[in-house]
Amino acid sequence: MGDVLPILSVPAVVLASGAYAVGASWWRRRHPSPPSPYTHQALRLAGERTLVTAQEILDDAYAAFGPLYAPPVAGADTHGTGPGARVTARSSDSAPQV
């Protein structure tokens, strides 16, 4: 009779581990784990997200600083004669050379 308990414990352990495996697989089918960050799909999605973020940064920067790089207006004087420009006479303009 002392050998009956160890002999019956083996099928009980097999039955319990099978029930655990069935329950675990049922749970995983109903609650899948999030995708791994190390897959090709995750890498592609992260790259796309980075490109979208970079495009937004560039669009914001162009909106803020775009007028600084706009070409000058056709009728505007671009030779530095605006307010604050110094006008100096050249030596050939002020006195005739002998």
Side-chain angles (χ1 to χ4, degrees), residues 33-49:
S33 61
S36 173
Y38 304 109
T39 61
H40 290 289
Q41 180 184 8
L43 181 65
R44 182 180 50 82
L45 292 175
E48 289 175 3
R49 193 175 328 122

Side-chain angles (χ1 to χ4, degrees), residues 15-51:
L15 182 66
S17 64
Y20 177 80
V22 168
S25 65
W26 175 84
W27 179 262
R28 277 290 144 216
R29 270 189 267 123
R30 303 275 187 296
H31 305 90
S33 61
S36 173
Y38 304 109
T39 61
H40 290 289
Q41 180 184 8
L43 181 65
R44 182 180 50 82
L45 292 175
E48 289 175 3
R49 193 175 328 122
T50 303
L51 287 176

Side-chain angles (χ1 to χ4, degrees), residues 60-94:
D60 292 343
Y62 185 76
F65 300 113
L68 295 175
Y69 297 105
V73 180
D77 186 12
T78 59
H79 296 293
T81 57
R86 289 191 282 157
V87 178
T88 57
R90 286 188 245 151
S91 63
S92 62
D93 293 341
S94 60

